[in-house]
Amino acid sequence: MESMYDAEAHVHSHDEHRRSHHSEKLKTDLITRLNRIEGQIRGIKGMIEKDTYCDHVLNQISAVQAALNSVGKLLLAGHMRSCVVERIQEGDLEVIDELLTTVNKLLK
């Protein structure tokens, strides 16, 4: 099974502008998920415009939050398997503090 995060394709420079290069499979999956979330957001907006019962709107908001969390988990896993591992192997231990900050933001 092909990895959704192609570690060999992931490259970053040693300057302040790090970039990640996701496998095409991962990019396609993320874009598909984000497009679906975008549609859900438009749907919620339409529900508000139509004065839909609040409980129904709140349930849709909950579904969007779960979908965003899923995207975040997918990106975090890929990040840890490649970027974080590479930087630790290079002796750059600052990545651990960076990762902890990011995880704390995701858990809010």
Side-chain angles (χ1 to χ4, degrees):
M1 182 176 173
E2 179 184 329
S3 171
M4 289 185 66
Y5 197 94
D6 186 353
E8 291 178 19
H10 175 81
V11 219
H12 65 262
S13 63
H14 292 284
D15 64 22
E16 61 193 25
H17 303 310
R18 294 187 187 276
R19 295 180 53 125
S20 59
H21 299 279
H22 305 290
S23 70
E24 286 305 311
K25 185 175 182 182
L26 178 61
K27 282 174 91 169
T28 300
D29 186 29
L30 291 172
I31 290 168
T32 299
R33 290 169 184 249
L34 291 169
N35 285 338
R36 191 176 311 124
I37 292 166
E38 188 177 27
Q40 288 175 294
I41 296 290
R42 282 192 304 272
I44 291 169
K45 182 180 173 190
M47 292 172 81
I48 297 290
E49 291 169 345
K50 294 175 185 171
D51 295 319
T52 302
Y53 184 60
C54 295
D55 189 61
H56 298 314
V57 177
L58 291 168
N59 284 322
Q60 288 304 307
I61 290 171
S62 176
V64 168
Q65 288 171 330
L68 279 172
N69 286 340
S70 178
V71 169
K73 288 175 189 176
L74 190 60
L75 279 170
L76 180 62
H79 180 58
M80 291 175 71
R81 287 186 181 111
S82 62
C83 305
V84 174
V85 170
E86 285 177 16
R87 288 180 60 189
I88 289 172
Q89 288 172 342
E90 293 169 358
D92 182 359
L93 299 181
E94 287 179 22
V95 70
I96 295 170
D97 289 330
E98 177 185 282
L99 179 62
L100 289 171
T101 299
T102 299
V103 169
N104 281 330
K105 288 177 184 177
L106 285 171
L107 294 177
K108 282 186 179 182

